[in-house]
Amino acid sequence: MSDSKSQNAMWGGRFASGPDAIMEAINASIGFDKRLARQDIEGSRAHAAMLAATGIITDSDANAIRKGLLTILSEIEAGKFNYSTTLEDIHMNIEARLKELIGEPAGRLHTARSRNDQVATDFKLWVRDQFDAAIGGLDALIGALLDQAEAGADMVMPGFTHLQVAQPVTWGHHMMAYVEMLGRDLGRMRDARVRMNECPLGAAALAGTSFPIDRDMTAAALGFDRPAANSLDAVADRDFALEFLSAASITATHLSRLAEELVIWSSAQFRFVTLSDRFSTGSSIMPQKKNPDAAELIRAKVGRINGALVALLTVMKGLPLAYSKDMQEDKEQVFDAADSLMLALAAMTGMIADMAPNPKALETAAASGFSTATDLADWLVRQLNLPFREAHHITGALVKLAEDKGCDLPDLALKDMQNEHPAINMQVYDVLGVYNSTQSRVSYGGTAPVQVRAQIARWREVLK
């Protein structure tokens, strides 16, 4: 076998032409960074306008560039743009097409910038859009949870610890727990968006430029608050993508927890809720099945999103300043995570909006497992002035007695209770019902309907 044939066999069938094909395949990013086309054109238009305003290029060249870029944008939106892997990335693809359209003026567009600051700007613009989309998605989901909370502010259900019945709570209170979680996610998204809103354009390759550019002009044109203050950091920074992935991972974790509850609650063993047919599927062989597939898939999305965060952290962890080609690997994970997050938010919002709780099953479960035992202990402390540890011991003995009799605490006879402590009186029964229990939890942030409604009103104002 000749050396050339030996080499081709080594590279494998896909790369039969040898090392050049491998280099093109590993170097090209157009397969995924074409998603940045709109942002790339937006950044180039702002850059060209600034170059003309500062006298670096002529108005006629800037006008030709602007018209050419708009033509390219229309071609891309119509699906008529031909992407080439030999041109590596979206920036070179657009620049090559611009030259075909307008000729020599296209070569002036790249004056006073580099692909380093160009890609950092494009990527920031794209991630900023994802923050806005996620904020909108969270707003919608929180709104759906508030509607559920309002409709079920008085509805009782079991509160769990260790997935064991602990104390009665209200449906509205449980819904509001997720409002609080997602509200923090909303805050993280908003905070990170503010922090990232500095413009890299004009940092050039890494050291700035000798041309008399106006970075404030391009920053303002692109909706940034200010130009990035250090040219090295401007092209090397991917904190904005990491913060998006971090916020997305925490959000996805919260969605996964809620999804897990929907899977449990909709099961035949619980029957706490009925999920709509729109977000469920059937079985290929078991006609009775109604599977919560949308919830299960949301539960799985957190793996992809967490993986994206770990991947990008790993890419960035050992890079010296400023730009390294490693950073080409910064986008696919973010693209995938953003897609997964938005799909999960939309699906969860639909499920929550359509979800129908089953009040009877919820109330029955709330009354099981001696869920008002803590109310009994608190009553003993409050009414009989017993130390809590003594009250806890008495309550434990009464739970054991009820267990032995096969009944719940409210079903115990008064004389049975008085055998444990003679001062117990008929008033004890006022705290043993699940509705009485939830109504009594009036401390700030508690499960009492009055507190739940106050929190709903507060969140309605926040979302305005």
Side-chain angles (χ1 to χ4, degrees):
M1 184 182 292
S2 69
D3 287 345
S4 62
K5 287 184 178 178
S6 176
Q7 279 189 332
N8 288 349
M10 186 189 305
W11 302 128
R14 185 177 174 189
F15 300 111
S17 58
D20 288 347
I22 293 180
M23 187 58 201
E24 181 179 306
I26 198 170
N27 195 47
S29 58
I30 188 60
F32 53 85
D33 70 13
K34 60 187 176 184
R35 290 185 69 161
L36 301 176
R38 182 179 62 79
Q39 289 80 12
D40 193 71
I41 289 170
E42 187 180 352
S44 290
R45 288 179 61 192
H47 186 66
M50 181 276 294
L51 292 176
T54 54
I56 297 171
I57 66 173
T58 65
D59 288 338
S60 61
D61 282 349
N63 191 47
I65 290 168
R66 181 185 67 82
K67 289 181 178 178
L69 289 171
L70 290 175
T71 298
I72 294 170
L73 181 60
S74 67
E75 291 175 349
I76 290 171
E77 290 175 343
K80 296 178 180 178
F81 189 87
N82 293 317
Y83 298 100
S84 169
T85 56
T86 59
L87 292 170
E88 293 185 23
D89 56 34
I90 187 61
H91 324 296
M92 298 305 294
N93 269 262
I94 288 174
E95 188 172 323
R97 178 58 178 150
L98 186 63
K99 186 175 181 180
E100 290 175 358
L101 290 171
I102 68 172
E104 189 264 347
R108 302 188 187 281
L109 173 59
H110 210 53
T111 307
R113 77 173 182 185
S114 161
R115 273 194 291 179
N116 292 355
D117 62 334
Q118 186 179 359
V119 68
T121 302
D122 294 355
F123 197 24
K124 264 199 172 184
L125 289 171
W126 193 90
V127 171
R128 191 175 69 185
D129 289 343
Q130 305 317 301
F131 273 120
D132 291 340
I135 288 166
L138 284 164
D139 274 341
L141 177 52
I142 289 171
L145 286 163
L146 287 173
D147 290 342
Q148 280 283 358
E150 198 157 38
D154 297 288
M155 193 187 304
V156 294
M157 67 173 290
F160 296 92
T161 61
H162 309 278
L163 203 57
Q164 307 293 315
V165 173
Q167 293 178 260
V169 296
T170 53
W171 173 263
H173 192 55
H174 200 107
M175 294 298 103
M176 290 305 294
Y178 284 103
V179 169
E180 292 294 330
M181 288 185 211
L182 295 167
R184 292 191 295 275
D185 295 326
L186 193 61
R188 275 183 281 272
M189 293 286 184
R190 287 174 171 164
D191 289 348
R193 192 197 187 283
V194 170
R195 195 161 29 253
M196 72 164 287
N197 208 31
E198 297 182 344
C199 184
L201 197 57
L206 74 162
T209 177
S210 58
F211 288 96
I213 60 173
D214 185 346
R215 293 190 64 205
D216 289 298
M217 179 180 174
T218 48
L222 295 171
F224 288 104
D225 295 328
R226 64 191 70 83
N230 182 283
S231 61
L232 284 166
D233 178 57
V235 299
D237 165 37
R238 293 297 183 270
D239 291 6
F240 60 93
L242 289 168
E243 281 206 84
F244 174 75
L245 291 176
S246 177
S249 293
I250 299 171
T251 301
T253 298
H254 291 152
L255 295 179
S256 182
R257 295 183 73 180
L258 179 51
E260 169 69 4
E261 297 213 302
L262 296 184
V263 170
I264 293 171
W265 291 352
S266 62
S267 68
Q269 289 72 29
F270 275 70
R271 298 187 186 277
F272 284 4
V273 300
T274 300
L275 300 178
S276 76
D277 292 347
R278 295 197 310 151
F279 296 98
S280 305
T281 64
S283 165
S284 62
I285 64 168
M286 295 172 283
Q288 84 282 8
K289 294 291 292 298
K290 184 176 179 181
N291 299 324
D293 282 10
E296 291 170 355
L297 288 166
I298 290 170
R299 191 173 59 185
K301 290 294 183 187
V302 70
R304 295 175 71 136
I305 297 171
N306 285 354
L309 174 59
V310 172
L312 186 53
L313 283 167
T314 305
V315 167
M316 298 301 298
K317 72 175 182 61
L319 298 187
L321 295 179
Y323 181 83
S324 297
K325 193 68 171 180
D326 310 50
M327 292 165 73
Q328 183 169 288
E329 295 295 318
D330 61 356
K331 298 172 193 66
E332 286 184 279
Q333 300 97 324
V334 181
F335 293 160
D336 183 76
D339 292 345
S340 296
L341 179 65
M342 290 312 302
L343 186 57
L345 283 169
M348 184 60 80
T349 301
M351 277 193 295
I352 294 299
D354 289 357
M355 178 174 64
N358 181 348
K360 185 176 180 180
L362 289 166
E363 182 181 349
T364 299
S368 68
F370 310 105
S371 64
T372 56
T374 304
D375 298 275
L376 173 56
D378 288 348
W379 184 87
L380 293 170
V381 171
R382 198 168 51 247
Q383 298 298 321
L384 305 187
N385 199 30
L386 298 180
F388 182 79
R389 285 301 166 204
E390 183 180 349
H392 187 282
H393 177 78
I394 292 168
T395 301
L398 291 173
V399 166
K400 177 67 166 59
L401 178 63
E403 203 169 39
D404 292 342
K405 287 177 173 286
C407 67
D408 204 351
L409 286 171
D411 304 317
L412 286 174
L414 179 61
K415 70 175 185 177
D416 287 334
M417 295 194 189
Q418 289 174 335
N419 285 337
E420 291 299 329
H421 197 287
I424 296 176
N425 57 59
M426 288 296 296
Q427 292 179 355
V428 73
Y429 292 101
D430 292 339
V431 302
L432 292 182
V434 291
Y435 282 99
N436 292 335
S437 173
T438 57
Q439 293 280 350
S440 71
R441 306 287 172 177
V442 293
S443 58
Y444 180 81
T447 193
V450 64
Q451 281 294 331
V452 171
R453 290 191 173 93
Q455 294 300 331
I456 293 169
R458 178 177 70 85
W459 269 103
R460 298 269 192 216
E461 285 298 314
V462 168
L463 291 183
K464 283 182 182 178

